[in-house]
Amino acid sequence: MSDFFQELAIAMTAGLLRGSVYALVALGIVLVYRASGIFNFAQAEFGTTGLFAAYAALELWGWSYPLAFAFGMGAAITMGLLTERLVIHPLRNSSKVTLLVGTAGVALAAIGLQFWLFNETLIMTMPRISEKYFVTPWGAQVTSQALIAAGVLVVVAIALAMFFRSPSGLAIQAAQQEPVAAELVGISVRRVSMMTWGIAAALGGLAGILTGPILSFTAAFLSFGAFAALLPGFMAAVLAGMRSMPGAVAGGLLVGFIEQLGSLSLLSDTVPGAGAAMLFVFLLAALLIRPQGILTRGAAVAA
């Protein structure tokens, strides 16, 4: 029994660290949806693009880590702003389905560009900020890189909570709820849209650059690759009712925990793909019991 609890504690630790990345992706998805009602399927590719840019600056061009990090974040943010200007803004009067397909097209274009520039068979490893690791009392090995990712999530969550109480954060909510009235009181809906996509892309960039050193990566790393965070990120966002920032953080951590429960030998030895199955069962049960999302007040959000 002690072995089981030790294995459970190790799985929970891994779930916390993996869930931190899911939460960063979910925060970006929720932010865009709150501001424009758009399901952003390019969110994970903002992160992968930032990761490849940081890798190129660090390993190919010999830049320092801070400069490479800044360059990767700049690349992710630039991609987000270009997506808003070249895809979302021209299609602003189209249906939500058209906009969804537009973001999926951006993701596919980014993946194709990554394959073209870096070779589809090449697997790379981003150097870690720190090579140190710690062993918990229950035997889980935790790297400094993973702890940094979890710490960044905490800082970002607090910063976003404060941001949405600021005039700029209130402007985003006003522009989404009443765009005409917002324009009448001097709020630029166009500028708010650009700011929203820039922040969402920055969140994706953080998820990619902080995760790249943990696993080897190739194109579509955060979408369909070794650390596929897009679907878990959307699950976390749905658990948040597509609107709650605290709910996105809690949802990301929950998804990480449940996914890692499937790795327990008691389940994985008897049920192949137990983690994925448990995730979908939990999501269905959560939506049936609380369709408006965790930590969300009011009625359910229409898709």
Side-chain angles (χ1 to χ4, degrees):
M1 185 62 70
S2 62
D3 290 340
F4 170 77
F5 283 115
Q6 182 182 26
E7 187 182 6
L8 179 62
I10 292 173
M12 292 299 94
T13 303
L16 170 65
L17 302 174
R18 200 173 185 96
S20 298
V21 178
Y22 296 161
L24 284 171
V25 174
L27 282 169
I29 292 171
V30 169
L31 180 61
V32 168
Y33 187 87
R34 280 184 63 165
S36 57
I38 298 170
F39 293 98
N40 179 22
F41 276 81
Q43 182 64 31
E45 285 315 302
F46 293 158
T48 308
T49 297
L51 172 59
F52 270 97
Y55 171 84
L58 188 65
E59 292 293 284
L60 304 183
W61 306 333
W63 293 11
S64 66
Y65 214 111
L67 284 177
F69 181 87
F71 182 72
M73 289 296 295
I77 293 171
T78 299
M79 181 180 172
L81 296 177
L82 288 175
T83 299
E84 198 282 334
R85 282 297 87 190
L86 301 180
V87 178
I88 302 304
H89 183 70
L91 296 175
R92 62 189 180 280
N93 295 323
S94 302
S95 67
K96 300 299 183 185
V97 174
T98 301
L99 288 164
L100 182 153
V101 172
T103 64
V106 170
L108 292 174
I111 292 170
L113 184 62
Q114 293 158 18
F115 278 135
W116 178 51
L117 292 177
F118 293 95
N119 188 339
E120 63 180 275
T121 61
L122 180 61
I123 297 177
M124 291 157 282
T125 302
M126 180 89 167
R128 295 180 179 179
I129 296 173
S130 171
E131 293 294 337
K132 293 181 181 180
Y133 68 90
F134 306 90
V135 179
T136 64
W138 49 88
Q141 189 178 95
V142 182
T143 64
S144 298
Q145 186 74 33
L147 289 176
I148 290 170
V152 166
L153 169 65
V154 173
V155 173
V156 166
I158 294 173
L160 283 175
M162 296 175 63
F163 172 76
F164 273 99
R165 289 179 170 83
S166 70
S168 296
L170 293 173
I172 288 178
Q173 298 178 65
Q176 190 273 329
Q177 295 172 6
E178 295 290 345
V180 176
E183 289 280 5
L184 290 175
V185 297
I187 297 174
S188 172
V189 174
R190 179 175 179 177
R191 187 176 302 168
V192 164
S193 180
M194 289 283 286
M195 180 171 60
T196 300
W197 281 85
I199 295 173
L203 291 169
L206 279 174
I209 297 172
L210 292 174
T211 310
I214 297 175
L215 295 171
S216 297
F217 63 91
T218 185
F221 173 65
L222 284 181
S223 292
F224 313 108
F227 207 118
L230 182 60
L231 183 56
F234 262 105
M235 286 183 173
V238 169
L239 286 172
M242 296 302 296
R243 290 187 180 277
S244 170
M245 293 293 179
V249 174
L253 296 177
L254 271 174
V255 168
F257 285 144
I258 295 168
E259 186 179 59
Q260 289 303 307
L261 281 178
S263 67
L264 297 177
S265 57
L266 180 65
L267 294 173
S268 60
D269 293 346
T270 56
V271 182
M278 289 176 65
L279 267 181
F280 282 106
V281 170
F282 173 78
L283 180 64
L284 179 60
L287 291 177
L288 289 173
I289 296 170
R290 191 171 175 82
Q292 72 269 33
I294 56 177
L295 303 183
T296 303
R297 298 178 181 178
V301 178

